[in-house]
């Protein structure tokens, strides 16, 4: 059986995304070549720079784009910022790896990615995605995403990947308040976040959920809120809102009863939102 030809890529950028793409390319023996020799030109730059770089490339390299595929990595933007290169003859669009570009790229690579562009672009980009990230599956929305859909999609990724760092930071604040050093706290809570994520990946959201809300432990939830308000009322409010959002998941999973859910919602009301039931409920 004849092996598929490895693509040749040119990566523009110097940050974490560019470093990760180049690392995956080297691992898969994909050639990194000058722009003129590349089948795929990857703009691994910030969202605000994509259009700027595309215009500069179209101006400085006005020919030779026919047959090339120009790609950016943003999940928040569609093909539009690459329009100057499309007018030069390139296929254009986005390949968004649903992953975290850390300072040390993961050898495994992303498990999921999404393509955004017309059919010729998607056909070409699938070949690159398969070569760069062989273990990754494509996310395919039922309909093309416009600006609002892309914003929702990317906000979902930011909510999970980025906001998690804020939650861990708040956890570190609490660990430090009981005398644990910062480095140890960050390591321990990072490992805990990894364990929690693994449980959800393996068992699904309903089975992977743990903690006092899913156990219907109203007294523990109330004590947590009281303790958090003493350290930082903002952390307490974040925890209150998120815990309240866990209640319907626990109900849907049939992990708590309707009466337990009602008691949890009572404890988790906003401050000043009416009388709250005691912790013996």
């Amino acid at each position: 059986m004849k092996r598929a030809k490895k693509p040749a890529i040119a990566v523009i950028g110097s940050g974490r995304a560019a470093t990760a793409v180049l690392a995956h390319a080297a691992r898969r023996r994909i050639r990194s070549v000058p722009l003129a020799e590349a089948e795929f030109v990857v703009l691994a730059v910030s969202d605000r720079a994509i259009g700027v770089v595309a215009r500069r490339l179209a101006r400085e390299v006005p020919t030779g784009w026919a047959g090339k595929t120009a790609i950016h990595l943003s999940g928040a933007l569609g093909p539009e910022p690459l329009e100057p290169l499309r007018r030069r003859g390139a296929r254009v669009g986005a390949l968004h790896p649903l992953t975290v570009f850390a300072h040390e790229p993961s050898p495994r690579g992303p498990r999921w990615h999404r393509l955004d562009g017309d059919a010729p672009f998607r056909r070409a980009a699938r070949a690159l995605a398969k070569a760069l990230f062989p273990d990754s599956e494509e996310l395919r929305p039922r309909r093309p995403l416009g600006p609002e859909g892309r914003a929702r999609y990317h906000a979902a990724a930011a909510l999970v990947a980025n906001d998690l760092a804020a939650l861990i930071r708040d956890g570190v604040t609490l660990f430090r308040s009981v005398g644990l050093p910062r480095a140890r706290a960050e390591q321990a809570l990072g490992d805990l976040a990894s364990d929690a994520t693994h449980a959800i990946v393996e068992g699904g959201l309903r089975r992977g959920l743990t903690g006092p809300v899913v156990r219907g432990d109203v007294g523990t939830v109330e004590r947590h809120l009281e303790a958090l308000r003493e350290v930082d009322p903002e952390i307490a409010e974040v925890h209150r809102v998120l815990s309240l959002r866990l209640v319907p998941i626990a109900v849907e999973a049939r992990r708590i009863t309707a009466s337990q859910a009602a008691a949890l919602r009572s404890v988790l009301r906003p401050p000043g939102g009416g009388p709250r039931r005691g912790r013996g409920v």
Side-chain angles (χ1 to χ4, degrees):
M1 183 176 176
K2 189 176 180 181
R3 282 188 173 183
K5 181 186 173 186
K6 296 279 188 180
I9 66 170
V11 178
I12 297 171
S14 57
R16 290 183 176 185
T19 300
V21 170
L22 288 169
H24 287 298
R27 196 169 289 118
R28 311 297 177 193
R29 297 199 170 115
I30 295 169
R31 292 179 299 137
S32 180
V33 298
L35 181 64
E37 301 172 28
E39 299 168 57
F40 296 92
V41 179
V42 181
L43 278 65
V45 297
S46 67
D47 288 13
R48 64 182 178 275
I50 293 170
V52 175
V53 173
R55 289 192 295 273
R56 190 190 75 206
L57 287 173
R59 184 175 63 252
E60 295 178 0
V61 188
T63 62
W65 289 96
K68 293 186 188 297
T69 301
I71 294 172
H72 69 70
L73 303 176
S74 171
L77 301 174
E80 294 79 11
L82 300 179
E83 177 62 18
L85 301 179
R86 189 196 66 78
R87 290 198 295 265
R88 298 295 190 195
R91 294 177 290 262
V92 302
L95 190 170
H96 179 242
L98 193 66
T99 189
V100 175
F101 289 126
H103 61 283
E104 291 291 337
S106 165
R108 187 187 69 180
R111 291 291 305 275
W112 304 91
H113 65 275
R114 184 178 67 85
L115 301 176
D116 197 332
D118 62 17
F121 167 79
R122 294 196 305 273
R123 283 194 295 271
R126 280 188 187 114
L128 179 63
K130 185 174 181 181
L132 272 177
F133 314 125
D135 298 324
S136 182
E137 295 185 47
E138 184 181 346
L139 292 167
R140 301 189 187 193
R142 291 191 179 96
R143 56 186 179 276
L145 300 185
E148 183 180 343
R150 292 184 191 114
R152 291 180 186 179
Y153 163 85
H154 200 246
L159 188 69
V160 173
N162 306 151
D163 294 1
L164 177 61
L167 289 176
I168 292 175
R169 178 178 177 269
D170 287 346
V172 169
T173 297
L174 296 166
F175 266 22
R176 293 188 72 197
S177 75
V178 298
L180 288 167
R182 179 190 295 274
R184 205 66 167 168
E186 289 182 359
Q187 185 178 29
L189 291 172
D191 285 342
L192 179 61
S194 178
D195 289 346
T197 302
H198 179 76
I200 291 170
V201 169
E202 291 299 312
L205 189 61
R206 296 178 183 181
R207 291 180 61 194
L209 180 62
T210 64
V213 169
V214 79
R215 294 193 295 268
D217 194 341
V218 179
T220 298
V221 170
E222 190 166 24
R223 284 191 292 275
H224 284 176
L225 290 174
E226 291 171 357
L228 292 175
R229 287 178 183 124
E230 290 178 4
V231 177
D232 187 329
E234 287 189 357
I235 297 178
E237 181 60 10
V238 169
H239 182 64
R240 183 194 68 77
V241 171
L242 292 177
S243 295
L244 192 58
R245 297 187 71 79
L246 292 178
V247 174
I249 302 174
V251 171
E252 290 167 8
R254 298 183 179 178
R255 304 280 295 276
I256 60 174
T257 65
S259 62
Q260 287 173 315
L264 285 164
R265 289 190 179 101
S266 178
V267 165
L268 292 167
R269 285 176 184 167
R276 290 163 53 182
R277 301 173 69 176
R279 66 174 66 162
V281 173

